[in-house]
């Protein structure tokens, strides 16, 4: 039996057996011997070794934050850790406003200034960030979205849903419901995209973050498609369904039964209308209908082909449990349909404008959704498939399909032997299409959540139950995983570990699945099947409130940066709140060749109490960390050297310095160069 996010039981049932000596329940086939805790401890992943190998000098950030993962598939492991590296690099510290996640490493013209935020990728960011032990990255971001206008509806969004999804992991009710009034207000603003005669939301594909789709291309007569093509889309209606359901659940948590009932009814009406109006019996798929009416297309006519966006309703559990709808998934598995040899096509090849290139930046191809693989929708579709496998009666897709497509997606992260996820890919070659500088290490997708909640099967719930349901195919061989372990996942104030061994030969504890909470085994099964176990929740740890006083959001306004050399833009890079160690992203301030004693300074504009600093130095073939550095502070109008307890300069990691509190109006870092120029990625002052 599966559990949906309302806590309603649907689907298959699983017999559960008590485990002696542990507060837990087991799946069918479980044994009842008390676990040997010394053996359990010995099987833990060596965190220090993994962190050193995966993250080098930047290991402390990850050690304090991420769940560990290992499996019989080295590429899955590598991409899992790369995606946490990607997440880390996209955290932007806004100072007093805390952290947000960015979509691009560097500024783009359509971002929200001066923060570099974009609301279309937010759902992915929060679904990934909810699994971190430090709750500020998701928590600060949600505050920014609802208190500081970050959810500006620049694009369609499911941010209320992501906020609720985060609550399902950390269990912090007060944090989850504090923005309910803003959520309801924003939901109401979307009435400007609601057709009351049809009971559905519509949107221009560009503002659905999917320019050059069937509706926008055909609405232009096949000549363009960047703008226009407003249509009733499965995507925006699924987002609004998910937001309504989330607001209903959060309202119930806050004791507001009337609002909960209102938004539950809105969600139910949307489900009904999507199934009635956007399901195409002819195509066997959820499709768009036109809102626009012109010489090329007519209002309410359906589009003429299948798109990957037709699976988004399952991403949020919208479709009814009707096998008729599940037949849509055969198109994803078809090589002639949406199942490209290297990834999921966004449009089927039968579409007349399939893979036609309309837009270039200079000579480089630009973003289009008429066939290319997009990690954005690949993530949505894999989430949808996981829901389909667990919550629906169907015989179209299997767990082997999920693992195969997850591995296919993992392969897209590789550029030869180098890991670098870009914007979109050609489905027939697996090579990137948008080869622009902005595209490196692009963060408009998810992966770690597909491993944690998808493959491993930790399904967050509102009640005091830990549910684990791995999507691992039975048997042995290359089409399944022989073993895996996910270690120390924060859940309801506890740390959960999930271990699987198909035949018992790897971990030597016997075949099957084991679940541990805070190091204590609480459940086991002889095979990979769904397990439910009671879990006594603990209060989530408080969010950190440490403020970086050096962040220069707007050049020319305090704090103001200056340096011994370099352009204002590059000097600003060193205090813009980003810590980026990827060599493909040319970010940070660099000293000039031959400069022996460079310096960088931050004028705070007013006396500010400070007691520590973090310096992020970057090293590659052209740059090296300095031989030494000194910190100076301007106190009462006079410069003085700070007597700090400080680490030696560290390359591609964080160098810490601490001192007795002082009130400074400016801080300067002087560096001694060891040969190569210094690159200071970021200076933070606390």
């Amino acid at each position: 039996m599966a559990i949906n996010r309302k806590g309603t039981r649907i689907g298959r049932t699983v017999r559960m057996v008590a485990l002696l000596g542990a507060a837990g329940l087991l799946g069918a086939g479980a044994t009842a011997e008390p676990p040997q805790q010394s053996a359990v401890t010995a099987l833990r992943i060596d965190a220090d070794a993994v962190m050193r190998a995966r993250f080098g000098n930047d290991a402390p950030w990850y050690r304090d934050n991420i769940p560990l993962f290992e499996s019989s598939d080295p590429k899955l492991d590598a991409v899992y850790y790369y995606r946490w590296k990607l997440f880390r690099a996209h955290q932007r510290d806004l100072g007093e406003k805390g952290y947000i996640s960015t979509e691009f490493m560097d500024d783009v013209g359509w971002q929200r200034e001066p923060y570099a935020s974009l609301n279309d990728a937010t759902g992915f960011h929060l679904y990934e960030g909810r699994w971190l032990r430090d709750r500020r990255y998701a928590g600060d971001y949600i505050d920014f979205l609802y208190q500081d206008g970050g959810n500006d509806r620049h694009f369609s969004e499911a941010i209320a849903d992501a906020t609720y999804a985060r609550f399902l992991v950390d269990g912090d009710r007060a944090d989850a419901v504090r923005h309910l009034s803003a959520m309801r207000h924003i939901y109401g603003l979307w009435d400007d995209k609601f057709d009351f005669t049809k009971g559905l939301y519509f949107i221009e594909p560009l503002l659905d973050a999917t320019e050059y789709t069937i509706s926008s291309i055909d609405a232009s007569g096949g000549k363009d498609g960047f703008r226009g093509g407003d249509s009733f889309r499965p995507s925006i209606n699924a987002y609004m369904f998910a937001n309504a359901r989330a607001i209903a659940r959060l309202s119930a948590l806050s004791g507001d039964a009337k609002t909960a009932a209102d938004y539950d009814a809105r969600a139910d009406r949307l489900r009904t209308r999507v199934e009635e109006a956007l399901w195409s019996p002819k195509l066997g798929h959820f499709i768009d209908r036109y809102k626009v009416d012109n010489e090329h297309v007519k209002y309410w006519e359906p589009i003429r082909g299948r798109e990957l966006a037709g699976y988004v309703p399952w991403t949020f559990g919208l479709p009814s449990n009707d096998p008729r709808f599940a037949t849509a998934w055969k198109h994803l598995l078809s090589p002639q349909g949406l199942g490209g040899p290297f990834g999921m096509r966004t449009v089927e090849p039968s579409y007349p404008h399939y893979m036609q290139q309309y837009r270039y930046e200079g000579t480089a191809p630009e973003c289009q959704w008429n066939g290319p693989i997009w990690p954005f929708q690949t993530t949505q579709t894999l989430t949808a498939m996981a829901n389909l496998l667990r919550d629906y009666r169907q015989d179209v897709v299997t767990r082997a399909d999920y693992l195969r497509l997850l591995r296919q997606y993992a392969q897209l992260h590789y550029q030869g032997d180098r890991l670098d996820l870009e914007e979109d890919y050609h489905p027939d070659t697996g090579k990137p299409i948008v080869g622009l500088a902005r595209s490196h290490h692009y963060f408009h997708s998810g992966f770690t959540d597909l491993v944690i909640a998808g493959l491993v099967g930790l399904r967050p719930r509102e009640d005091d139950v830990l549910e684990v349901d791995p999507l691992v195919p039975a048997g042995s061989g290359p089409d399944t995983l022989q073993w895996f372990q996910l270690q120390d996942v924060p859940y309801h104030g506890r740390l959960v570990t999930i271990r699987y061994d198909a035949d018992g030969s790897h971990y030597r504890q016997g075949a099957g699945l084991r679940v541990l909470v805070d190091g204590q085994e609480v459940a086991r099964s002889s095979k990979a099947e769904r397990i439910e176990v009671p879990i006594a929740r603990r209060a989530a740890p408080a969010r950190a409130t440490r403020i970086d006083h050096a962040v220069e959001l707007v050049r020319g306004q305090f704090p103001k940066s200056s340096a011994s050399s370099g352009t204002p833009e590059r000097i600003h890079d060193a205090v813009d709140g980003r810590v980026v160690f990827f060599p493909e992203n040319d970010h940070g301030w660099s000293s000039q060749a031959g400069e022996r004693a460079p310096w960088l300074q931050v004028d705070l504009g007013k006396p500010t109490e400070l007691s520590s600093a973090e310096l992020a130095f970057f090293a590659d073939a052209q740059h090296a960390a300095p031989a030494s550095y000194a910190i100076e502070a301007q106190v009462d109008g006079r410069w003085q050297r700070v007597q700090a307890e400080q680490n030696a300069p560290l390359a591609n990691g964080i160098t810490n310095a601490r001192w007795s509190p002082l009130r400074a109006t400016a801080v300067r870092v002087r560096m001694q160069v060891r040969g190569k120029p210094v690159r200071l990625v970021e200076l933070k002052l606390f």
Side-chain angles (χ1 to χ4, degrees):
M1 157 186 343
I3 306 292
N4 68 17
R5 290 171 63 186
K6 290 184 180 181
T8 304
R9 301 189 175 200
I10 56 178
R12 62 192 177 88
T13 60
V14 171
R15 182 168 57 90
M16 294 178 288
V17 182
L19 177 65
L20 297 178
L25 298 175
L26 287 179
T31 59
E33 294 88 1
Q36 299 297 316
Q37 291 306 309
S38 59
V40 169
T41 301
L43 294 172
R44 286 177 58 81
I45 301 169
D46 185 336
D48 288 337
V50 169
M51 296 305 162
R52 285 193 303 270
R54 300 289 184 181
F55 307 114
N57 287 338
D58 203 29
W61 188 92
Y62 301 92
R63 186 183 298 111
D64 293 341
N65 272 302
I66 70 170
L68 300 174
F69 178 70
E70 65 179 9
S71 76
S72 57
D73 187 331
K75 281 197 171 181
L76 279 183
D77 299 3
V79 175
Y80 175 84
Y81 286 111
Y82 163 73
R83 288 301 300 238
W84 282 124
K85 203 171 183 179
L86 183 75
F87 183 96
R88 152 82 156 148
H90 278 279
Q91 297 313 296
R92 188 177 190 193
D93 191 337
L94 302 181
E96 291 184 354
K97 293 184 183 297
Y99 282 89
I100 66 167
S101 297
T102 59
E103 182 175 340
F104 295 93
M105 289 288 188
D106 291 310
D107 296 331
V108 293
W110 56 96
Q111 69 189 20
R112 182 169 181 255
E113 298 290 359
Y115 311 108
S117 65
L118 287 164
N119 76 317
D120 55 331
T122 298
F124 299 113
H125 300 159
L126 293 176
Y127 267 83
E128 302 278 281
R130 64 182 177 158
W131 299 112
L132 293 173
R133 286 194 284 280
D134 191 335
R135 298 174 57 243
R136 68 181 142 171
Y137 298 105
D140 289 358
Y141 196 13
I142 291 169
D143 289 346
F144 171 80
L145 292 161
Y146 287 117
Q147 290 176 185
D148 297 299
N151 186 4
D152 57 359
R153 299 196 310 126
H154 189 110
F155 295 100
S156 57
E157 47 83 15
I159 295 173
D161 167 82
T163 302
Y164 178 63
R166 184 237 184 180
F167 158 73
L168 293 179
V169 171
D170 70 17
D172 189 333
R173 181 182 305 185
D175 219 19
V177 304
R178 61 199 299 252
H179 299 301
L180 263 172
S181 61
M183 289 180 188
R184 292 193 296 266
H185 174 70
I186 292 170
Y187 196 95
L189 293 177
W190 280 106
D191 280 355
D192 65 357
K193 298 295 183 184
F194 191 71
D195 187 322
F196 285 86
T197 65
K198 298 299 185 184
L200 289 167
Y201 291 89
F202 63 90
I203 198 165
E204 180 183 32
L206 174 64
L207 301 184
D208 209 23
T210 57
E211 60 271 33
Y212 296 99
T213 63
I214 291 178
S215 62
S216 61
I217 294 171
D218 283 1
S220 76
K223 295 181 172 59
D224 196 9
F226 182 66
R227 301 303 305 257
D230 292 35
S231 59
F232 303 94
R233 309 201 76 209
S235 47
I236 188 172
N237 284 283
Y239 301 155
M240 297 306 290
F241 165 85
N243 284 336
R245 183 184 56 188
I247 293 171
R249 297 301 91 217
L250 292 171
S251 296
L253 285 171
S254 71
D256 186 349
K258 181 178 179 181
T259 299
D262 176 21
Y263 279 85
D264 268 335
R266 295 181 190 221
D268 289 342
R269 287 194 296 270
L270 269 179
R271 170 185 280 122
T272 298
R273 290 300 296 136
V274 167
E275 292 180 348
E276 289 175 345
L278 300 188
W279 175 257
S280 168
K282 177 182 177 182
L283 295 175
H285 207 67
F286 286 108
I287 49 85
D288 298 8
R289 287 182 179 270
Y290 289 105
K291 171 68 173 177
V292 66
D293 192 328
N294 62 25
E295 67 271 31
H296 305 296
V297 297
K298 298 303 177 185
Y299 175 76
W300 201 239
E301 282 186 350
I303 60 172
R304 55 172 165 162
R306 301 183 189 97
E307 297 179 314
L308 201 62
Y311 298 115
V312 177
W314 281 278
T315 305
F316 302 101
L318 181 152
S320 302
N321 197 351
D322 184 339
R324 168 175 56 113
F325 298 130
T327 59
W329 287 85
K330 67 183 181 182
H331 310 305
L332 181 68
L333 305 181
S334 169
Q336 291 74 44
L338 295 167
F342 288 90
M344 302 177 192
R345 301 181 176 108
T346 48
V347 175
E348 289 185 324
S350 57
Y351 177 54
H353 301 290
Y354 173 75
M355 294 300 293
Q356 181 176 338
Q357 188 65 47
Y358 289 93
R359 186 177 174 86
Y360 296 84
E361 183 173 307
T363 58
E366 262 279 13
C367 301
Q368 299 188 169
W369 293 75
N370 55 348
I373 304 164
W374 278 84
F376 167 7
Q377 281 192 346
T378 297
T379 305
Q380 290 181 323
T381 304
L382 282 166
T383 301
M385 180 180 281
N387 290 337
L388 181 78
L389 286 165
R390 292 181 173 123
D391 296 341
Y392 290 83
R393 298 185 302 273
Q394 57 85 35
D395 57 5
V396 182
V397 300
T398 66
R399 296 182 177 211
D401 293 321
Y402 181 87
L403 180 58
R404 175 181 63 83
L405 293 172
L406 181 65
R407 283 170 160 160
Q408 185 186 63
Y409 177 30
Q411 183 60 44
L412 289 178
H413 291 71
Y414 281 88
Q415 310 294 326
D417 294 331
R418 179 175 55 87
L419 285 161
D420 181 5
L421 185 70
E422 300 201 36
E423 290 185 74
D424 64 344
Y425 296 80
H426 199 293
D428 295 333
T429 66
K431 302 298 182 184
I433 294 174
V434 180
L436 302 172
R438 71 170 195 234
S439 297
H440 294 294
H441 307 293
Y442 178 58
F443 195 18
H444 192 165
S445 62
F447 189 87
T448 60
D449 187 66
L450 295 175
V451 171
I452 296 170
L455 179 67
V456 175
L458 200 170
R459 303 197 75 193
R461 289 170 50 155
E462 189 176 305
D463 57 9
D464 294 327
V465 173
L466 170 62
E467 179 183 343
V468 178
D469 190 3
L471 294 180
V472 179
S476 60
D479 294 333
T480 186
L481 284 180
Q482 294 305 302
W483 51 268
F484 67 73
Q485 182 170 200
L486 179 70
Q487 180 173 301
D488 292 342
V489 187
Y491 182 70
H492 288 201
R494 305 281 186 163
L495 291 178
V496 173
T497 294
I498 302 165
R499 185 181 297 133
Y500 172 70
D501 194 339
D503 60 10
S505 63
H506 185 77
Y507 293 112
R508 299 189 182 280
Q509 280 192 305
L513 183 67
R514 293 172 184 254
V515 179
L516 297 84
V517 175
D518 294 336
Q520 173 74 33
E521 185 179 310
V522 297
R524 74 177 77 148
S525 174
S526 61
K527 58 185 178 180
E529 66 176 345
R530 182 171 154 270
I531 288 175
E532 285 182 334
V533 62
I535 185 169
R537 72 177 64 205
R538 290 176 177 165
R543 281 162 50 190
T545 56
R546 201 169 176 225
I547 296 173
D548 176 12
H549 296 288
V551 175
E552 184 184 50
L553 288 178
V554 180
R555 283 186 306 209
Q557 296 182 11
F558 291 109
K560 294 181 181 179
S561 59
S562 57
S564 55
S565 60
T567 65
E569 181 178 357
R570 297 312 297 263
I571 296 168
H572 168 71
D573 278 355
V575 286
D576 71 349
R578 295 174 168 112
V579 177
V580 179
F581 295 127
F582 286 121
E584 295 83 6
N585 297 94
D586 186 18
H587 196 85
W589 168 77
S590 298
S591 63
Q592 291 184 338
E595 194 175 6
R596 307 305 304 171
W599 55 267
L600 185 134
Q601 177 177 312
V602 179
D603 184 347
L604 301 170
K606 61 183 179 181
T608 303
E609 184 170 299
L610 302 171
S611 60
S612 65
E614 293 180 358
L615 301 95
F617 295 111
F618 175 76
D620 62 3
Q622 289 77 43
H623 304 88
S628 62
Y629 69 96
I631 297 175
E632 300 172 347
Q634 189 179 56
V635 179
D636 297 329
R638 299 180 62 183
W639 284 97
Q640 63 184 52
R641 181 163 178 168
V642 175
Q643 300 302 311
E645 177 186 341
Q646 59 192 53
N647 302 130
L650 196 65
N652 301 325
I654 303 301
T655 302
N656 292 287
R658 298 175 179 83
W659 57 84
S660 298
L662 52 80
R663 292 181 64 79
T665 54
V667 171
R668 181 186 300 142
V669 178
R670 291 190 181 275
M671 292 153 276
Q672 293 296 317
V673 174
R674 67 168 76 238
K676 296 177 183 177
V678 168
R679 174 170 289 176
L680 182 59
V681 168
E682 191 71 14
L683 168 65
K684 294 189 173 190
L685 298 172
F686 303 98

